[in-house]
Amino acid sequence: MDMDIKLSAKTILDKDFKTGIRGYSQDEVDQFLDIIIQDYESFEKVLAKKQEEIELLKNELKTAQSQTTTSSSEARRQVPSPAYANNTNFDILKRIANLEKHVFGDKLYD
């Protein structure tokens, strides 16, 4: 992610300004540029640290995703399909009828 950065701390430090008859105070400009240089250096450090964190998090995410994929595929292999999964509707209806007969007995058919 390379942003189009035109200035660096070194570029700011090395910049020379021409002076005119009624120009700016050179000391004031230098002090201000020193503050800008310090900010740029701080920003560069923060940016580098954030890039490292991003890379670390990307690697952790890849690891977690691969572990999730591996564990879910293993779980699918380990879970046996239930015995009733192959039953047809007719088998289920027969079982229900037998249960009703057992629970309610002859009262159901009176």
Side-chain angles (χ1 to χ4, degrees):
M1 182 174 115
D2 187 22
M3 298 181 294
D4 192 24
I5 299 173
K6 294 178 179 35
L7 297 175
S8 68
K10 178 84 170 126
T11 307
I12 295 169
L13 179 65
D14 292 341
K15 176 66 178 166
D16 285 328
F17 294 95
K18 296 179 184 175
T19 55
I21 296 173
R22 300 178 85 183
Y24 297 104
S25 166
Q26 195 167 2
D27 289 338
E28 193 175 332
V29 171
D30 285 343
Q31 288 174 357
F32 186 71
L33 289 177
D34 287 342
I35 294 169
I36 293 173
I37 290 169
Q38 290 171 358
D39 280 353
Y40 259 80
E41 289 171 346
S42 297
F43 292 146
E44 287 174 348
K45 289 176 186 174
V46 168
L47 207 66
K49 185 175 180 181
K50 295 298 179 187
Q51 280 301 117
E52 289 175 12
E53 288 178 20
I54 288 171
E55 291 303 316
L56 178 68
L57 291 172
K58 282 181 180 180
N59 290 336
E60 286 180 16
L61 179 62
K62 284 180 186 177
T63 304
Q65 286 175 337
S66 66
Q67 287 175 352
T68 302
T69 304
T70 304
S71 63
S72 65
S73 63
E74 288 174 1
R76 276 188 238 122
R77 278 187 247 130
Q78 292 175 355
V79 175
S81 61
Y84 59 83
N86 296 327
N87 292 343
T88 61
N89 286 342
F90 181 73
D91 292 333
I92 294 170
L93 291 173
K94 267 175 59 174
R95 289 181 182 195
I96 291 173
N98 286 335
L99 284 171
E100 287 176 343
K101 204 183 281 186
H102 181 68
V103 172
F104 297 112
D106 292 331
K107 295 179 191 175
L108 187 64
Y109 299 106
D110 286 338

